[in-house]
Coordinates of all heavy atoms in Angstrom, one line a residue:
M19 N 15.1 18.9 10.0 CA 14.6 18.9 8.6 C 13.4 17.9 8.5 O 13.4 16.8 9.1 CB 15.7 18.5 7.7 CG 15.3 18.4 6.3 SD 16.7 17.8 5.2 CE 17.1 19.2 4.4
D20 N 12.4 18.3 7.8 CA 11.3 17.5 7.6 C 11.6 16.3 6.6 O 12.4 16.4 5.7 CB 10.1 18.3 6.9 CG 9.6 19.3 7.9 OD1 9.6 19.1 9.1 OD2 9.0 20.3 7.4
K21 N 11.0 15.2 6.9 CA 11.2 14.0 6.1 C 10.2 14.0 4.9 O 9.2 14.6 5.0 CB 11.0 12.7 6.9 CG 12.1 12.5 7.9 CD 12.0 11.2 8.6 CE 13.2 11.0 9.5 NZ 13.2 9.7 10.0
V22 N 10.6 13.4 3.8 CA 9.8 13.3 2.6 C 9.3 11.9 2.5 O 10.1 10.9 2.5 CB 10.6 13.7 1.4 CG1 9.8 13.5 0.1 CG2 11.1 15.1 1.5
S23 N 8.0 11.7 2.3 CA 7.3 10.4 2.1 C 6.7 10.4 0.8 O 6.1 11.3 0.3 CB 6.2 10.2 3.2 OG 6.8 10.2 4.5
L24 N 6.8 9.2 0.1 CA 6.1 8.9 -1.1 C 5.0 8.0 -0.8 O 5.3 6.9 -0.2 CB 7.1 8.3 -2.1 CG 6.4 7.8 -3.4 CD1 5.7 8.9 -4.2 CD2 7.5 7.1 -4.3
K25 N 3.8 8.3 -1.1 CA 2.7 7.4 -0.8 C 2.1 6.9 -2.2 O 1.8 7.7 -3.0 CB 1.6 8.2 -0.1 CG 0.3 7.3 0.2 CD -0.8 8.2 0.7 CE -2.1 7.5 0.5 NZ -3.1 8.4 0.1
I26 N 2.0 5.6 -2.3 CA 1.5 5.0 -3.5 C 0.3 4.1 -3.0 O 0.5 3.2 -2.2 CB 2.5 4.1 -4.2 CG1 3.8 5.0 -4.6 CG2 1.9 3.4 -5.4 CD1 4.9 4.2 -5.1
S27 N -0.9 4.5 -3.5 CA -2.1 3.8 -3.1 C -2.4 2.7 -4.2 O -2.3 3.0 -5.4 CB -3.3 4.7 -3.0 OG -3.1 5.7 -2.0
I28 N -2.7 1.5 -3.7 CA -3.0 0.4 -4.6 C -4.2 -0.4 -4.1 O -4.6 -0.2 -2.9 CB -1.8 -0.6 -4.7 CG1 -1.5 -1.3 -3.4 CG2 -0.6 0.1 -5.3 CD1 -0.5 -2.4 -3.4
S29 N -4.8 -1.1 -5.0 CA -6.0 -2.0 -4.7 C -5.8 -3.3 -5.5 O -5.0 -3.3 -6.4 CB -7.3 -1.3 -5.1 OG -7.6 -1.4 -6.4
P30 N -6.5 -4.3 -5.2 CA -6.4 -5.5 -5.9 C -6.6 -5.4 -7.4 O -6.1 -6.2 -8.2 CB -7.5 -6.5 -5.3 CG -7.6 -5.9 -3.9 CD -7.4 -4.4 -4.0
R31 N -7.4 -4.4 -7.8 CA -7.7 -4.2 -9.2 C -6.4 -3.8 -10.0 O -6.4 -3.8 -11.2 CB -8.8 -3.2 -9.4 CG -10.1 -3.7 -8.9 CD -11.3 -2.8 -9.2 NE -10.9 -1.4 -8.8 CZ -11.7 -0.4 -9.1 NH1 -12.8 -0.5 -9.7 NH2 -11.3 0.8 -8.7
D32 N -5.4 -3.3 -9.3 CA -4.2 -2.9 -9.9 C -3.2 -4.1 -10.2 O -2.1 -3.9 -10.8 CB -3.4 -1.9 -9.0 CG -4.2 -0.7 -8.7 OD1 -4.9 -0.2 -9.6 OD2 -4.1 -0.2 -7.5
F33 N -3.6 -5.3 -9.9 CA -2.8 -6.4 -10.0 C -2.1 -6.6 -11.3 O -0.9 -6.9 -11.4 CB -3.6 -7.7 -9.7 CG -2.8 -9.0 -9.7 CD1 -1.8 -9.2 -8.8 CD2 -3.0 -9.9 -10.8 CE1 -1.1 -10.4 -8.9 CE2 -2.3 -11.0 -10.8 CZ -1.3 -11.3 -9.9
R34 N -2.8 -6.4 -12.4 CA -2.2 -6.7 -13.8 C -1.0 -5.7 -14.1 O -0.1 -6.1 -14.7 CB -3.2 -6.6 -14.8 CG -4.3 -7.7 -14.8 CD -5.3 -7.6 -15.9 NE -5.8 -6.3 -16.0 CZ -6.3 -5.7 -17.1 NH1 -6.3 -6.4 -18.2 NH2 -6.8 -4.5 -17.1
I35 N -1.1 -4.5 -13.7 CA -0.1 -3.5 -14.0 C 0.9 -3.3 -12.9 O 2.0 -2.7 -13.2 CB -0.7 -2.2 -14.5 CG1 -1.5 -1.5 -13.4 CG2 -1.5 -2.3 -15.7 CD1 -1.8 -0.1 -13.6
L36 N 0.6 -3.7 -11.7 CA 1.4 -3.4 -10.6 C 2.9 -3.9 -10.7 O 3.8 -3.3 -10.4 CB 0.8 -3.9 -9.3 CG 1.4 -3.5 -8.0 CD1 1.2 -2.0 -7.8 CD2 0.8 -4.3 -6.8
K37 N 3.0 -5.1 -11.3 CA 4.3 -5.7 -11.4 C 5.2 -5.0 -12.3 O 6.5 -5.2 -12.3 CB 4.2 -7.2 -11.7 CG 3.6 -7.5 -13.1 CD 3.4 -9.0 -13.3 CE 2.7 -9.2 -14.6 NZ 2.5 -10.7 -14.8
Y38 N 4.7 -4.2 -13.2 CA 5.5 -3.4 -14.1 C 5.7 -1.9 -13.6 O 6.8 -1.4 -13.6 CB 4.8 -3.3 -15.5 CG 4.5 -4.6 -16.1 CD1 3.3 -5.1 -16.1 CD2 5.6 -5.4 -16.5 CE1 3.0 -6.4 -16.7 CE2 5.3 -6.7 -17.1 CZ 4.0 -7.1 -17.1 OH 3.8 -8.4 -17.7
L39 N 4.6 -1.4 -13.1 CA 4.6 0.0 -12.7 C 5.4 0.3 -11.3 O 6.2 1.2 -11.2 CB 3.2 0.6 -12.6 CG 3.0 2.1 -12.3 CD1 3.7 2.9 -13.4 CD2 1.6 2.4 -12.2
L40 N 5.1 -0.5 -10.3 CA 5.7 -0.3 -9.0 C 7.2 -0.4 -9.0 O 7.9 0.5 -8.5 CB 5.1 -1.3 -8.0 CG 5.5 -1.0 -6.5 CD1 5.1 0.4 -6.1 CD2 4.8 -2.0 -5.6
P41 N 7.8 -1.4 -9.6 CA 9.3 -1.4 -9.7 C 9.9 -0.1 -10.4 O 10.9 0.4 -10.0 CB 9.6 -2.7 -10.5 CG 8.5 -3.6 -10.2 CD 7.3 -2.6 -10.2
H42 N 9.2 0.3 -11.4 CA 9.6 1.5 -12.1 C 9.5 2.7 -11.2 O 10.5 3.5 -11.1 CB 8.8 1.8 -13.4 CG 9.1 3.1 -14.0 ND1 10.3 3.3 -14.7 CD2 8.4 4.2 -14.1 CE1 10.4 4.5 -15.1 NE2 9.2 5.1 -14.8
Q43 N 8.4 2.9 -10.5 CA 8.3 4.0 -9.5 C 9.3 4.0 -8.4 O 9.9 5.0 -8.1 CB 6.9 4.0 -8.9 CG 5.8 4.3 -9.9 CD 4.4 4.0 -9.3 OE1 4.1 3.0 -8.6 NE2 3.5 5.0 -9.4
L44 N 9.6 2.8 -7.9 CA 10.6 2.6 -6.9 C 12.0 3.0 -7.4 O 12.8 3.6 -6.7 CB 10.6 1.2 -6.3 CG 9.3 0.9 -5.5 CD1 9.3 -0.5 -5.1 CD2 9.2 1.8 -4.2
K45 N 12.3 2.5 -8.6 CA 13.6 2.8 -9.2 C 13.8 4.3 -9.3 O 14.9 4.8 -9.0 CB 13.7 2.1 -10.5 CG 15.1 2.3 -11.2 CD 15.1 1.6 -12.5 CE 16.4 1.8 -13.2 NZ 16.4 1.2 -14.5
V46 N 12.8 5.0 -9.7 CA 12.9 6.5 -9.9 C 12.9 7.2 -8.6 O 13.7 8.1 -8.4 CB 11.7 7.0 -10.8 CG1 11.7 8.5 -10.9 CG2 11.8 6.4 -12.2
W47 N 12.0 6.9 -7.7 CA 11.8 7.7 -6.5 C 12.5 7.3 -5.2 O 12.7 8.1 -4.3 CB 10.3 7.8 -6.2 CG 9.6 8.6 -7.3 CD1 8.8 8.1 -8.3 CD2 9.5 10.0 -7.4 NE1 8.3 9.1 -9.0 CE2 8.7 10.3 -8.5 CE3 10.1 11.0 -6.7 CZ2 8.5 11.5 -9.0 CZ3 9.8 12.3 -7.2 CH2 9.0 12.6 -8.3
H48 N 12.8 6.0 -5.1 CA 13.4 5.5 -3.8 C 14.5 6.3 -3.2 O 14.6 6.6 -2.0 CB 13.7 4.0 -3.9 CG 14.1 3.4 -2.7 ND1 15.4 3.2 -2.2 CD2 13.3 2.8 -1.7 CE1 15.4 2.6 -1.1 NE2 14.1 2.3 -0.7
G49 N 15.4 6.7 -4.1 CA 16.6 7.4 -3.6 C 16.3 8.9 -3.3 O 17.2 9.6 -2.7
Q50 N 15.2 9.4 -3.6 CA 14.8 10.8 -3.4 C 13.9 11.0 -2.2 O 13.6 12.2 -1.9 CB 14.2 11.3 -4.6 CG 15.0 11.2 -5.9 CD 14.3 11.8 -7.1 OE1 13.8 12.9 -7.1 NE2 14.4 11.0 -8.2
V51 N 13.5 10.0 -1.5 CA 12.6 10.1 -0.4 C 13.1 9.4 0.9 O 14.0 8.6 0.8 CB 11.2 9.6 -0.7 CG1 10.6 10.4 -1.9 CG2 11.2 8.1 -1.1
D52 N 12.5 9.7 2.0 CA 12.9 9.1 3.3 C 12.1 7.8 3.5 O 12.6 6.9 4.2 CB 12.7 10.0 4.4 CG 13.6 11.2 4.3 OD1 14.8 11.1 4.3 OD2 13.1 12.4 4.2
E53 N 10.9 7.7 3.0 CA 10.1 6.5 3.1 C 9.2 6.4 1.9 O 8.8 7.4 1.4 CB 9.4 6.5 4.4 CG 8.3 7.5 4.5 CD 7.5 7.5 5.9 OE1 7.7 6.5 6.6 OE2 6.7 8.4 6.1
V54 N 8.8 5.1 1.6 CA 7.8 4.9 0.6 C 6.7 4.0 1.2 O 6.9 2.9 1.7 CB 8.4 4.1 -0.6 CG1 7.3 3.8 -1.6 CG2 9.6 4.8 -1.2
L55 N 5.5 4.6 1.3 CA 4.4 3.9 1.9 C 3.5 3.4 0.8 O 3.0 4.2 0.0 CB 3.6 4.9 2.8 CG 4.3 5.6 3.9 CD1 3.4 6.6 4.6 CD2 4.8 4.6 4.9
I56 N 3.3 2.1 0.8 CA 2.4 1.5 -0.2 C 1.1 1.2 0.6 O 1.1 0.4 1.5 CB 3.0 0.1 -0.7 CG1 4.4 0.3 -1.3 CG2 2.0 -0.5 -1.7 CD1 4.4 1.2 -2.5
V57 N 0.1 2.0 0.3 CA -1.1 1.9 1.0 C -2.0 1.0 0.3 O -2.5 1.3 -0.8 CB -1.8 3.3 1.2 CG1 -3.1 3.2 2.0 CG2 -0.8 4.2 2.0
F58 N -2.3 -0.2 0.8 CA -3.0 -1.2 0.2 C -4.5 -1.3 0.7 O -4.7 -1.7 1.8 CB -2.3 -2.6 0.4 CG -2.8 -3.7 -0.4 CD1 -3.6 -3.5 -1.5 CD2 -2.3 -5.0 -0.1 CE1 -4.0 -4.6 -2.3 CE2 -2.7 -6.1 -0.9 CZ -3.6 -5.9 -2.0
D59 N -5.4 -0.8 -0.1 CA -6.8 -0.8 0.3 C -7.5 -1.9 -0.5 O -7.8 -1.8 -1.6 CB -7.4 0.6 -0.1 CG -8.8 0.8 0.4 OD1 -9.4 -0.2 1.0 OD2 -9.3 1.9 0.3
Y60 N -7.8 -3.0 0.2 CA -8.5 -4.1 -0.4 C -9.9 -4.3 0.2 O -10.5 -5.3 0.1 CB -7.7 -5.4 -0.3 CG -7.2 -5.8 1.0 CD1 -8.0 -6.5 1.9 CD2 -5.9 -5.5 1.4 CE1 -7.5 -6.8 3.2 CE2 -5.4 -5.9 2.6 CZ -6.2 -6.6 3.5 OH -5.7 -6.9 4.7
H61 N -10.4 -3.2 0.9 CA -11.8 -3.3 1.5 C -12.8 -3.5 0.4 O -12.8 -2.8 -0.6 CB -12.0 -2.0 2.2 CG -13.4 -1.9 2.9 ND1 -13.6 -2.7 4.0 CD2 -14.5 -1.2 2.6 CE1 -14.9 -2.4 4.4 NE2 -15.4 -1.5 3.6
G62 N -13.6 -4.5 0.6 CA -14.6 -4.9 -0.4 C -14.1 -5.9 -1.5 O -14.9 -6.3 -2.3
Y63 N -12.8 -6.1 -1.5 CA -12.2 -7.0 -2.4 C -11.6 -8.3 -1.8 O -10.9 -9.0 -2.4 CB -11.1 -6.4 -3.2 CG -11.6 -5.2 -4.1 CD1 -11.6 -3.9 -3.7 CD2 -12.2 -5.5 -5.3 CE1 -12.0 -2.9 -4.5 CE2 -12.7 -4.5 -6.1 CZ -12.6 -3.2 -5.7 OH -13.0 -2.2 -6.5
D64 N -11.9 -8.4 -0.5 CA -11.2 -9.5 0.3 C -11.9 -10.9 0.2 O -11.7 -11.7 1.0 CB -11.0 -9.1 1.7 CG -12.3 -8.5 2.4 OD1 -13.3 -8.4 1.7 OD2 -12.2 -8.2 3.6
K65 N -12.8 -11.0 -0.8 CA -13.5 -12.3 -1.0 C -13.4 -12.6 -2.5 O -13.1 -11.8 -3.3 CB -14.9 -12.2 -0.6 CG -15.1 -11.9 0.9 CD -16.5 -11.7 1.3 CE -16.6 -11.4 2.8 NZ -17.8 -10.7 3.1
G66 N -13.7 -13.9 -2.8 CA -13.8 -14.3 -4.2 C -12.5 -14.3 -4.9 O -11.4 -14.5 -4.4
P67 N -12.5 -13.9 -6.2 CA -11.3 -13.9 -7.0 C -10.2 -13.0 -6.6 O -9.1 -13.2 -6.9 CB -11.9 -13.5 -8.4 CG -13.1 -12.8 -8.2 CD -13.7 -13.3 -6.9
Y68 N -10.5 -12.0 -5.9 CA -9.5 -11.0 -5.5 C -8.6 -11.5 -4.3 O -7.6 -11.0 -4.1 CB -10.1 -9.7 -5.1 CG -10.6 -8.9 -6.3 CD1 -12.0 -8.8 -6.6 CD2 -9.7 -8.3 -7.2 CE1 -12.4 -8.1 -7.6 CE2 -10.2 -7.6 -8.3 CZ -11.5 -7.5 -8.5 OH -12.0 -6.8 -9.6
K69 N -9.1 -12.5 -3.6 CA -8.4 -13.0 -2.4 C -7.0 -13.5 -2.8 O -6.0 -13.2 -2.1 CB -9.2 -14.1 -1.7 CG -8.7 -14.4 -0.4 CD -9.7 -15.3 0.4 CE -9.3 -15.4 1.8 NZ -10.3 -16.0 2.7
K70 N -6.9 -14.2 -3.9 CA -5.6 -14.7 -4.4 C -4.7 -13.5 -4.8 O -3.5 -13.5 -4.6 CB -5.8 -15.7 -5.6 CG -4.5 -16.3 -6.1 CD -4.8 -17.2 -7.2 CE -3.4 -17.8 -7.7 NZ -3.6 -18.7 -8.8
Q71 N -5.3 -12.6 -5.5 CA -4.5 -11.4 -5.9 C -4.0 -10.6 -4.7 O -2.9 -10.1 -4.7 CB -5.4 -10.5 -6.8 CG -5.6 -11.1 -8.1 CD -6.5 -10.3 -9.0 OE1 -7.1 -9.3 -8.6 NE2 -6.6 -10.7 -10.3
I72 N -4.8 -10.5 -3.6 CA -4.3 -9.8 -2.4 C -3.0 -10.5 -1.9 O -2.0 -9.9 -1.6 CB -5.4 -9.8 -1.4 CG1 -6.5 -8.8 -1.8 CG2 -4.8 -9.4 0.0 CD1 -7.8 -8.9 -1.0
S73 N -3.1 -11.8 -1.9 CA -1.9 -12.6 -1.4 C -0.7 -12.4 -2.3 O 0.4 -12.2 -1.9 CB -2.3 -14.1 -1.3 OG -1.2 -14.9 -1.0
Q74 N -1.0 -12.5 -3.6 CA 0.1 -12.3 -4.6 C 0.7 -10.9 -4.5 O 2.0 -10.7 -4.6 CB -0.4 -12.6 -6.0 CG -0.7 -14.0 -6.2 CD -1.3 -14.3 -7.5 OE1 -2.2 -13.5 -8.0 NE2 -1.0 -15.4 -8.2
I75 N -0.1 -9.9 -4.4 CA 0.4 -8.5 -4.3 C 1.2 -8.4 -3.0 O 2.3 -7.8 -3.0 CB -0.8 -7.5 -4.3 CG1 -1.4 -7.4 -5.7 CG2 -0.3 -6.1 -3.9 CD1 -2.6 -6.6 -5.8
T76 N 0.7 -8.9 -1.9 CA 1.5 -8.8 -0.6 C 2.8 -9.5 -0.8 O 3.9 -8.9 -0.3 CB 0.7 -9.4 0.5 OG1 -0.6 -8.8 0.6 CG2 1.4 -9.3 1.8
E77 N 2.9 -10.7 -1.3 CA 4.2 -11.4 -1.5 C 5.1 -10.6 -2.4 O 6.3 -10.5 -2.2 CB 3.9 -12.7 -2.1 CG 3.3 -13.7 -1.1 CD 2.9 -15.1 -1.8 OE1 3.5 -15.4 -2.9 OE2 2.1 -15.8 -1.2
F78 N 4.6 -10.0 -3.5 CA 5.3 -9.2 -4.4 C 6.0 -8.0 -3.7 O 7.2 -7.8 -3.9 CB 4.4 -8.8 -5.6 CG 5.1 -7.9 -6.6 CD1 6.2 -8.3 -7.4 CD2 4.7 -6.6 -6.7 CE1 6.8 -7.5 -8.3 CE2 5.3 -5.7 -7.7 CZ 6.3 -6.2 -8.5
I79 N 5.2 -7.3 -2.9 CA 5.7 -6.2 -2.2 C 6.8 -6.6 -1.2 O 7.8 -5.9 -1.0 CB 4.6 -5.3 -1.6 CG1 3.8 -4.7 -2.8 CG2 5.1 -4.2 -0.7 CD1 2.6 -4.0 -2.4
C80 N 6.5 -7.7 -0.5 CA 7.5 -8.2 0.5 C 8.9 -8.5 -0.2 O 9.9 -8.3 0.4 CB 7.0 -9.4 1.2 SG 5.7 -9.0 2.4
E81 N 8.8 -9.0 -1.4 CA 10.0 -9.2 -2.2 C 10.7 -7.9 -2.6 O 11.9 -7.8 -2.5 CB 9.8 -10.0 -3.5 CG 9.5 -11.5 -3.2 CD 10.8 -12.2 -2.6 OE1 11.9 -12.0 -3.2 OE2 10.6 -12.9 -1.7
L82 N 9.9 -6.9 -2.9 CA 10.5 -5.6 -3.3 C 11.2 -4.9 -2.1 O 12.1 -4.2 -2.2 CB 9.4 -4.7 -3.8 CG 8.9 -5.0 -5.2 CD1 7.7 -4.1 -5.6 CD2 10.1 -4.8 -6.3
E83 N 10.6 -5.2 -0.9 CA 11.2 -4.6 0.4 C 12.7 -5.0 0.5 O 13.4 -4.3 1.2 CB 10.4 -5.0 1.6 CG 9.1 -4.3 1.7 CD 8.2 -4.8 2.9 OE1 8.3 -6.0 3.2 OE2 7.5 -4.0 3.4
K84 N 13.1 -6.2 0.0 CA 14.5 -6.6 0.1 C 15.4 -5.7 -0.7 O 16.5 -5.5 -0.2 CB 14.6 -8.1 -0.4 CG 13.8 -9.1 0.5 CD 13.9 -10.5 -0.1 CE 13.0 -11.4 0.7 NZ 12.9 -12.7 0.1
E85 N 14.9 -5.2 -1.8 CA 15.7 -4.4 -2.6 C 15.6 -2.9 -2.3 O 16.5 -2.1 -2.4 CB 15.3 -4.6 -4.1 CG 16.2 -3.8 -5.1 CD 15.9 -4.1 -6.5 OE1 15.1 -5.0 -6.8 OE2 16.4 -3.3 -7.4
Y86 N 14.4 -2.5 -1.7 CA 14.1 -1.1 -1.4 C 13.7 -1.1 0.1 O 12.6 -1.2 0.5 CB 12.9 -0.7 -2.2 CG 13.2 -0.7 -3.7 CD1 12.8 -1.7 -4.5 CD2 14.0 0.3 -4.3 CE1 13.1 -1.7 -5.9 CE2 14.3 0.3 -5.6 CZ 13.9 -0.7 -6.4 OH 14.2 -0.7 -7.8
P87 N 14.7 -0.8 0.9 CA 14.5 -0.9 2.4 C 13.6 0.2 3.0 O 13.1 0.1 4.1 CB 15.9 -0.8 3.0 CG 16.8 -0.2 1.9 CD 16.1 -0.6 0.6
K88 N 13.4 1.3 2.2 CA 12.5 2.3 2.7 C 11.0 2.0 2.5 O 10.2 2.8 2.8 CB 12.9 3.7 2.0 CG 14.3 4.2 2.3 CD 14.5 5.4 1.4 CE 16.0 5.7 1.5 NZ 16.3 6.9 0.5
L89 N 10.8 0.9 1.8 CA 9.4 0.5 1.5 C 8.7 0.0 2.7 O 9.2 -0.8 3.4 CB 9.5 -0.5 0.4 CG 8.2 -1.0 -0.3 CD1 7.6 0.2 -1.0 CD2 8.6 -2.1 -1.3
C90 N 7.4 0.4 2.8 CA 6.6 -0.1 3.9 C 5.2 -0.3 3.4 O 4.6 0.6 2.9 CB 6.6 0.9 5.1 SG 5.6 0.5 6.5
L91 N 4.7 -1.5 3.6 CA 3.3 -1.9 3.1 C 2.4 -1.6 4.3 O 2.6 -2.1 5.4 CB 3.3 -3.4 2.7 CG 1.9 -3.9 2.3 CD1 1.4 -3.2 1.1 CD2 2.0 -5.4 2.1
V92 N 1.3 -0.8 4.0 CA 0.4 -0.5 5.0 C -1.0 -0.9 4.5 O -1.5 -0.4 3.5 CB 0.4 1.0 5.3 CG1 -0.7 1.4 6.4 CG2 1.8 1.5 5.7
A93 N -1.7 -1.8 5.2 CA -3.0 -2.2 4.8 C -4.0 -1.2 5.5 O -3.9 -0.9 6.7 CB -3.3 -3.6 5.3
V94 N -5.0 -0.7 4.7 CA -6.0 0.2 5.3 C -6.9 -0.6 6.2 O -7.4 -1.7 5.9 CB -6.9 0.8 4.1 CG1 -7.9 1.7 4.7 CG2 -6.0 1.6 3.2
D95 N -7.1 -0.1 7.4 CA -7.9 -0.8 8.4 C -9.2 -0.1 8.6 O -9.3 1.1 8.9 CB -7.1 -0.7 9.7 CG -7.7 -1.4 10.9 OD1 -8.9 -2.0 10.7 OD2 -7.1 -1.5 11.9
Y96 N -10.3 -0.8 8.3 CA -11.7 -0.3 8.4 C -12.4 -0.8 9.6 O -13.6 -0.7 9.7 CB -12.5 -0.7 7.1 CG -12.1 0.1 5.9 CD1 -11.2 -0.4 5.0 CD2 -12.7 1.3 5.6 CE1 -10.8 0.3 3.8 CE2 -12.4 2.0 4.5 CZ -11.5 1.5 3.6 OH -11.1 2.3 2.5
S97 N -11.6 -1.4 10.5 CA -12.3 -1.9 11.7 C -12.9 -0.8 12.6 O -12.5 0.4 12.4 CB -11.3 -2.6 12.6 OG -10.3 -1.7 13.2
D98 N -13.9 -1.1 13.4 CA -14.5 -0.1 14.2 C -13.5 0.5 15.1 O -13.6 1.8 15.4 CB -15.6 -0.8 15.1 CG -16.8 -1.2 14.2 OD1 -17.0 -0.7 13.1 OD2 -17.6 -2.1 14.7
E99 N -12.5 -0.2 15.6 CA -11.5 0.4 16.5 C -10.7 1.4 15.8 O -10.4 2.5 16.3 CB -10.6 -0.7 17.1 CG -11.3 -1.7 18.0 CD -12.0 -2.8 17.2 OE1 -11.7 -3.1 16.0 OE2 -12.9 -3.5 17.8
A100 N -10.3 1.1 14.6 CA -9.5 2.1 13.8 C -10.3 3.3 13.4 O -9.8 4.4 13.5 CB -9.0 1.4 12.5
K101 N -11.6 3.1 13.1 CA -12.5 4.3 12.8 C -12.6 5.2 14.1 O -12.5 6.4 14.0 CB -13.8 3.8 12.4 CG -13.9 3.2 11.0 CD -15.3 2.7 10.7 CE -15.3 1.9 9.5 NZ -16.7 1.4 9.2
A102 N -12.8 4.6 15.2 CA -12.9 5.3 16.5 C -11.6 6.1 16.8 O -11.6 7.2 17.2 CB -13.3 4.4 17.6
E103 N -10.5 5.5 16.5 CA -9.2 6.1 16.8 C -9.0 7.3 15.9 O -8.5 8.4 16.3 CB -8.1 5.1 16.6 CG -6.7 5.6 16.9 CD -5.6 4.6 16.7 OE1 -5.9 3.4 16.9 OE2 -4.5 5.0 16.4
V104 N -9.3 7.2 14.6 CA -9.2 8.3 13.7 C -10.2 9.4 14.1 O -9.8 10.6 14.1 CB -9.5 7.9 12.2 CG1 -9.6 9.1 11.3 CG2 -8.4 6.9 11.8
S105 N -11.4 9.1 14.5 CA -12.3 10.1 14.9 C -11.9 10.8 16.1 O -12.0 12.1 16.2 CB -13.7 9.4 15.2 OG -14.6 10.3 15.6
R106 N -11.3 10.1 17.1 CA -10.8 10.8 18.3 C -9.6 11.7 18.0 O -9.5 12.8 18.5 CB -10.3 9.7 19.3 CG -11.4 9.2 20.2 CD -10.9 8.3 21.3 NE -10.1 7.2 20.9 CZ -10.6 6.0 20.6 NH1 -11.9 5.8 20.6 NH2 -9.8 5.0 20.2
A107 N -8.7 11.3 17.0 CA -7.6 12.1 16.7 C -7.9 13.4 16.0 O -7.3 14.4 16.2 CB -6.6 11.2 15.8
Y108 N -9.0 13.3 15.1 CA -9.3 14.5 14.3 C -10.5 15.3 14.9 O -10.6 16.5 14.6 CB -9.6 14.1 12.9 CG -8.4 13.7 12.2 CD1 -8.0 12.4 12.1 CD2 -7.6 14.6 11.6 CE1 -6.8 12.0 11.4 CE2 -6.4 14.3 10.9 CZ -6.0 13.0 10.9 OH -4.9 12.6 10.2
F109 N -11.4 14.6 15.6 CA -12.6 15.3 16.1 C -12.8 15.3 17.6 O -13.7 15.8 18.1 CB -13.9 14.7 15.4 CG -13.8 14.7 13.9 CD1 -13.6 13.5 13.2 CD2 -13.8 15.8 13.2 CE1 -13.5 13.4 11.8 CE2 -13.7 15.8 11.8 CZ -13.5 14.6 11.1
G110 N -11.9 14.6 18.3 CA -11.9 14.5 19.7 C -13.0 13.7 20.3 O -13.2 13.7 21.5
N111 N -13.7 12.9 19.5 CA -14.7 12.0 20.1 C -15.0 10.9 19.0 O -14.4 10.8 18.0 CB -16.0 12.8 20.4 CG -16.6 13.4 19.2 OD1 -16.4 13.1 18.0 ND2 -17.4 14.5 19.4
K112 N -16.0 10.1 19.4 CA -16.4 9.0 18.4 C -17.0 9.7 17.2 O -17.6 9.5 16.3 CB -17.4 8.1 19.1 CG -16.8 7.1 19.9 CD -17.8 6.1 20.4 CE -17.2 4.7 20.7 NZ -18.1 3.7 21.0

């Protein structure tokens, strides 16, 4: 049987509403899926005022993982190595 994944994409700009919305989404969906992937894309926001929010969001999600074991935080990787790996997987080359 195929597994069901719930993907929730977030960015540092979501900080103000995330603490309200994400627990509600998890309460509703966690029992209906096999995994919950929180895809955290902070590319371009990893400096200045957003740096603190990135840390706070990461800590918040780590706390939620204790209550929701299917939860997995995934940071988007924009490194050259990651780009090359994706390119090879989908296009067979760089």
Side-chain angles (χ1 to χ4, degrees):
M19 178 185 250
D20 292 332
K21 291 188 175 187
V22 176
S23 298
L24 171 61
K25 176 189 159 220
I26 301 172
S27 298
I28 63 172
S29 82
R31 295 185 311 172
D32 299 326
F33 180 70
R34 292 183 310 152
I35 62 166
L36 191 66
K37 63 184 174 182
Y38 305 106
L39 186 58
L40 187 56
H42 174 71
Q43 290 172 314
L44 292 171
K45 183 179 178 182
V46 171
W47 293 103
H48 188 262
Q50 301 180 47
V51 298
D52 297 298
E53 67 179 352
V54 179
L55 302 174
I56 305 295
V57 180
F58 193 10
D59 187 353
Y60 52 83
H61 183 68
Y63 295 98
D64 49 355
K65 297 176 184 155
Y68 288 107
K69 195 167 188 169
K70 182 178 179 184
Q71 290 177 348
I72 290 168
S73 176
Q74 290 173 320
I75 289 171
T76 302
E77 289 175 21
F78 176 65
I79 292 172
C80 288
E81 283 299 312
L82 287 173
E83 286 177 325
K84 295 174 185 174
E85 185 176 351
Y86 298 100
K88 298 175 191 175
L89 188 62
C90 179
L91 178 62
V92 180
V94 178
D95 185 352
Y96 285 94
S97 69
D98 290 338
E99 296 82 19
K101 291 178 190 177
E103 185 178 331
V104 170
S105 183
R106 279 191 298 275
Y108 288 95
F109 306 110
N111 62 20
K112 280 185 153 185

